[in-house]
Amino acid sequence: MPQLSSHRRQTVQLVARHSVTTRLTHWVNVLCLSLLLFSGLQIFNAYPRLHWGQAGANADPAFLEIGAKQRDGEPQGYLEVGTLSIPTTGVLGLSTHEGTSRQRAFPAWLTLPSYQDLAAGRRWHFFFAWVFVINGLVYLIHSLASGHLRRDLLPQRHQLGLRHLWQEIVDHARLRFPSGEAAKHYNALQKLAYIAVIVLLLPTMVLTGLSMSPGINAALPHLIDVFGGRQSARSIHFITATLLVLFVIVHVAMVVLSGPWNNLRSMVSGRYAIRFEEPTDE
């Protein structure tokens, strides 16, 4: 419904923003990444240490470790990164499950399954990893064939200027989001973030995961060498998954701050509402 003011009139226009394929692959990704994260933490719990290089075992130094130890006569959870040790009792290293305090890296409510079962965690993880890969290929082929990748996600030259990027950073920090014609397209920060995830983060996560598979090792024995060994590949896999979680947190925060119902509607129905202001003669 148009709103009248003394000099300007505000109108709302629904525009087509996301194709059916983009919406379907997006929601399949949400399901896959959630289950991959929860089952991946179950797998990590079986050996909650990260090493670098070809080999790693309990006697080898780890650059990251989540565990529990006795301090002042009481068990306390900790997260160690290099020489930095952070108390994490109740969440990481030592948490309560079914009324009992237990030593485990990630708590039961964050793993799939909730109880310690490495074999079950692997089955969930491997199944949805392949669903995730197939879904990603469908999205990539559709984006290339339809021009979505070139038209909507590749930043234009003028968007990569330092002054333009700095202005977008300032606008985001002040929660000033684009309106009118500018709201029809992704801004440069969105494009760079999406491209980094599609071209760098996701392929690295998939390839490091594949390099740890004995079957893939037999077929492609040099793949694991690309990442510096099995322990390095495992560590990179964990780090890329962590970066992906941070991306999702920022992505959801921006969705909420810029209009949750409008963004959710566009990802369900494909239609996005944009407000325009036009001068009036009144």
Side-chain angles (χ1 to χ4, degrees):
M1 178 68 70
Q3 299 177 357
L4 300 180
S5 66
S6 58
H7 301 290
R8 302 186 71 84
R9 177 179 60 186
Q10 190 176 82
T11 60
V12 177
Q13 179 182 352
L14 286 175
V15 299
R17 186 158 196 171
H18 300 298
S19 68
V20 174
T21 302
T22 298
R23 283 177 275 148
L24 286 175
T25 53
H26 172 271
W27 291 115
V28 173
N29 264 350
V30 171
L31 174 66
C32 289
L33 287 175
S34 299
L35 295 175
L36 284 170
L37 173 64
F38 299 146
S39 58
L41 296 182
Q42 168 74 230
I43 297 171
F44 182 85
N45 272 0
Y47 186 68
R49 310 179 84 209
L50 292 180
H51 303 270
W52 195 261
Q54 295 286 348
N58 290 324
D60 297 323
F63 68 84
L64 184 146
E65 179 177 350
I66 302 175
K69 62 178 66 172
Q70 291 288 334
R71 287 176 178 168
D72 300 327
E74 295 289 335
Q76 295 183 8
Y78 65 86
L79 164 65
E80 287 184 353
V81 182
T83 57
L84 176 65
S85 181
I86 304 171
T88 56
T89 303
V91 182
L92 302 179
L94 187 71
S95 55
T96 302
H97 180 53
E98 296 179 344
T100 304
S101 184
R102 299 183 180 182
Q103 179 177 342
R104 52 183 293 157
F106 290 97
W109 55 267
L110 203 54
T111 65
L112 180 69
S114 60
Y115 51 88
Q116 190 60 45
D117 189 334
L118 176 60
R122 281 178 167 171
R123 285 195 293 271
W124 280 97
H125 201 73
F126 295 158
F127 176 79
F128 279 96
W130 284 113
V131 176
F132 176 72
V133 168
I134 294 170
N135 188 62
L137 289 175
V138 170
Y139 172 79
L140 189 58
I141 292 171
H142 165 75
S143 298
L144 289 171
S146 67
H148 170 61
L149 190 63
R150 169 184 51 78
R151 185 181 59 252
D152 301 322
L153 296 181
L154 288 181
Q156 298 175 354
R157 179 173 294 182
H158 77 277
Q159 291 181 308
L160 298 177
L162 292 179
R163 179 175 297 182
H164 183 93
L165 290 173
W166 176 247
Q167 186 59 52
E168 286 199 4
I169 292 172
V170 171
D171 289 342
H172 273 74
R174 295 179 177 176
L175 302 181
R176 293 190 308 208
F177 299 105
S179 59
E181 286 294 328
K184 289 184 177 180
H185 312 286
Y186 294 132
N187 59 55
L189 295 181
Q190 285 177 299
K191 292 179 177 180
L192 291 174
Y194 293 152
I195 289 295
V197 170
I198 295 171
V199 174
L200 182 62
L201 207 55
L202 294 180
T204 301
M205 192 170 68
V206 171
L207 289 174
T208 51
L210 288 174
S211 71
M212 290 183 283
S213 164
I216 298 298
N217 286 165
L220 301 170
H222 298 298
L223 179 59
I224 200 168
D225 295 331
V226 173
F227 299 103
R230 184 177 297 277
Q231 290 302 321
S232 297
R234 181 173 179 265
S235 298
I236 295 172
H237 194 70
F238 183 88
I239 292 170
T240 51
T242 303
L243 292 175
L244 193 60
V245 170
L246 293 177
F247 165 79
V248 171
I249 291 173
V250 174
H251 175 65
V252 172
M254 288 295 104
V255 165
V256 172
L257 292 172
S258 62
W261 298 117
N262 196 23
N263 285 306
L264 185 60
R265 175 178 54 199
S266 72
M267 198 44 81
V268 173
S269 69
R271 303 182 72 79
Y272 185 76
I274 298 179
R275 297 183 183 277
F276 291 89
E277 286 191 350
E278 300 172 345
T280 67
D281 296 331
E282 300 177 5

